[in-house]
Amino acid sequence: VVACDFYNAGGLMSLSDEDIIKTLTDELLPSAVPRFADAKVVDSWVGKYPGVVSWFSPGSYNKRPPLEGAGNALPNVKCAGDWVRMGEREHGAKGLCQERAYVSGFEAANSLLSSTTDAFVATQVLPVREDEAQFKAAVEINRKVMGSGLLPRFWTR
């Protein structure tokens, strides 16, 4: 089973489903993993969703919905996806990525099950390693420059 997502893929929207699958199987997958050249497609599905990319921008994190949804007001509703704030379950980068969406799904399920049943075993989410020193230094420099007022916050929506 292979799943493939193309982001910012306006150039692919006019292609037929068959042409997209052919491009993927004949060119893209074999260039990444040569053994894919011998793979045979037995079933396929193509979904095209123009203009559905999330448009979160720097500074918008606090405006995203929390993993816990409405909290005690609606205890059976949880949010998952790369766009949610995970609170104390925060994991890895706060940016938009499939890994974050995947982890938030486990955490939303853990939260839902813990609030609705007494007998469940939480799915363990492995912690990410600490950021490297050079990344921490760059974050601190960015924080100081952006907090100094020297540059306008022109990219925040």
Side-chain angles (χ1 to χ4, degrees), residues 36-57:
F36 271 115
D38 298 327
K40 303 293 181 231
V41 176
V42 295
D43 191 18
S44 63
W45 175 81
V46 174
K48 297 178 186 176
Y49 307 100
V52 297
V53 175
S54 299
W55 288 104
F56 293 104
S57 58

Side-chain angles (χ1 to χ4, degrees), residues 114-126:
S114 72
S115 67
T116 59
T117 183
D118 293 329
F120 92 100
V121 177
T123 299
Q124 180 185 7
V125 176
L126 300 176

Side-chain angles (χ1 to χ4, degrees), residues 79-117:
C79 296
D82 58 357
W83 50 280
V84 302
R85 289 179 288 132
M86 294 171 58
E88 48 187 55
R89 292 182 172 93
E90 201 58 62
H91 187 273
K94 292 181 182 162
L96 305 175
C97 62
Q98 291 179 337
E99 294 79 4
R100 181 179 173 77
Y102 181 75
V103 168
S104 74
F106 282 119
E107 293 293 13
N110 285 341
S111 177
L112 179 63
L113 290 171
S114 72
S115 67
T116 59
T117 183

